[in-house]
Amino acid sequence: MKIAMGNDHTAIEMKNAIKKFVESKGYEVIDFGTNSTESCDYPTYGEMVGRAVADGEADLGIAICGTGVGISLACNKVKGIRACVCSEPYTAKLSRMHNDSNVLCFGARVVGDEMAKMITENWLDAKYEGGRHQRRVDMVMDIESRN
Ligand code: RB5
């Protein structure tokens, strides 16, 4: 299973920690960067992660910026993406089980590495439940296709 990862300059260290963690769990990571400490723009990396997931190059994505908000907005502008900012494991788990989230976002300035690993683990281990949630996920995607 392939995970697309992207981040801005605020989140290089956290991206590396999470990348190592995700690889240790047996996933392959496609790292879209940035790997430079020079200030950059989170939409560039959010779009790359979103595109990789939407195109099927990756199964899921993880995108990190200072708060997780900017990069999640960018990911969500790619058709087919349901990116969620999660600062704790419960929301991360439920975002998979109920919302079929396909990109996980968090903030390197908000959570520490250990919390980020716990969030990531809960998200990766959770399975979409479908059933009654499918109609609502379809409704969300219908908003995208109508707008
Ligand atoms: C960069 O300073 C910061 O604005 C960015 O990492 C992110 O937090 C935006 O949402």
Side-chain angles (χ1 to χ4, degrees), residues 8-10 42 65-71 109:
D8 73 2
H9 55 286
T10 68
Y42 57 78
C65 64
T67 59
V69 173
I71 206 157
R109 291 173 171 164

Side-chain angles (χ1 to χ4, degrees), residues 3-61:
I3 310 289
M5 289 192 74
N7 57 281
D8 73 2
H9 55 286
T10 68
I12 297 166
E13 282 180 26
M14 179 165 281
K15 188 271 303 290
N16 287 331
I18 298 304
K19 181 179 174 182
K20 207 169 146 192
F21 178 69
V22 166
E23 285 172 341
S24 78
K25 285 178 66 73
Y27 296 92
E28 186 183 326
V29 171
I30 308 170
D31 182 356
F32 287 101
T34 186
N35 287 302
S36 158
T37 51
E38 209 170 297
S39 180
C40 66
D41 302 319
Y42 57 78
T44 307
Y45 301 94
E47 183 175 9
M48 286 196 270
V49 170
R51 279 248 62 92
V53 174
D55 292 348
E57 186 187 348
D59 301 284
L60 295 168

Side-chain angles (χ1 to χ4, degrees), residues 57-128:
E57 186 187 348
D59 301 284
L60 295 168
I62 299 176
I64 320 168
C65 64
T67 59
V69 173
I71 206 157
S72 73
L73 294 174
C75 291
N76 275 319
K77 294 298 175 190
V78 177
K79 263 195 166 92
I81 295 305
R82 291 174 298 280
C84 299
V85 186
C86 300
S87 299
E88 36 71 31
Y90 178 79
T91 306
K93 185 174 179 169
L94 270 289
S95 81
R96 286 286 296 140
M97 291 170 67
H98 291 189
N99 313 112
D100 198 16
S101 63
N102 50 15
V103 178
L104 170 67
C105 303
F106 42 79
R109 291 173 171 164
V110 179
V111 296
D113 281 5
E114 293 310 311
M115 178 61 94
K117 284 180 199 169
M118 213 178 271
I119 291 167
T120 301
E121 184 162 50
N122 273 269
W123 187 71
L124 288 173
D125 289 351
K127 298 273 170 291
Y128 177 51

